Amino acid sequence: MGRLLEADLERTLLDNLQAFLLELGGGFAFIGRQYRISTESKDFYLDLVFYNYLLKCFVLFDLKSGELTHQDIGQMDMYVRVMDELRQDPDDNPTVGASFVRKKMHRWFATPFFMTTNSCSRAIVSWFFL
């Protein structure tokens, strides 16, 4: 059931991609959905991947139906680290990860959880209601 709700959010965002990108701010370019990254032993699929050419970094979105858990944070940490290792150019800034979480009343919003691999990560609070 959760995966279906996540797929619905993904489809809604992509159906309204222009408005969604404008809501995020300037400089975002859509890279892909269900974007595959591979380690030596496993393939992983990132829900949505963008590149911000103003910030010079990848921005990863993970879609979750339910509360954000420690496992979700660990998963995003792994995604960010693998993306930096495999896709980041030398002059890029660290990848940023964000989670969209479904809360009560079937509203979706971005949690205040943003992650980068550098030691001075900042939490950015932004709420996107869809």
Side-chain angles (χ1 to χ4, degrees):
M1 181 72 169
R3 187 69 200 141
L4 177 62
L5 294 173
E6 292 168 8
D8 290 342
L9 173 61
E10 186 178 300
R11 187 172 30 263
T12 300
L13 290 174
L14 292 175
D15 287 347
N16 299 290
L17 186 59
Q18 180 179 1
F20 178 67
L21 289 175
L22 291 173
E23 185 72 25
L24 287 175
F28 281 90
F30 179 67
I31 302 298
R33 68 187 272 196
Q34 297 304 309
Y35 186 84
R36 184 173 61 92
I37 56 174
S38 300
T39 64
E40 291 178 7
S41 60
K42 190 168 181 175
D43 291 335
F44 298 93
Y45 295 89
L46 306 171
D47 291 329
L48 298 171
V49 177
F50 295 88
Y51 187 83
N52 188 295
Y53 62 86
L54 299 175
L55 299 175
K56 295 189 63 107
C57 68
F58 286 99
V59 181
L60 314 178
F61 286 104
D62 193 26
L63 309 177
K64 297 292 178 189
S65 58
E67 297 290 326
L68 188 68
T69 67
H70 294 315
Q71 291 86 356
D72 298 329
I73 293 169
Q75 179 183 23
M76 180 58 79
D77 178 63
M78 187 267 305
Y79 288 165
V80 166
R81 291 175 189 280
V82 170
M83 196 70 170
D84 279 348
E85 183 179 321
L86 298 178
R87 302 288 193 269
Q88 187 182 45
D89 285 335
D91 59 337
D92 281 346
N93 289 312
T95 297
V96 174
S99 291
F100 275 83
V101 178
R102 184 180 141 275
K103 291 290 202 173
K104 295 176 184 169
M105 302 190 55
H106 305 289
R107 300 295 300 256
W108 289 86
F109 59 89
T111 66
F113 163 68
F114 281 68
M115 173 183 290
T116 66
T117 55
N118 68 17
S119 60
C120 51
S121 298
R122 291 170 287 196
I124 303 167
V125 179
S126 295
W127 305 98
F128 299 96
F129 290 96
L130 302 173

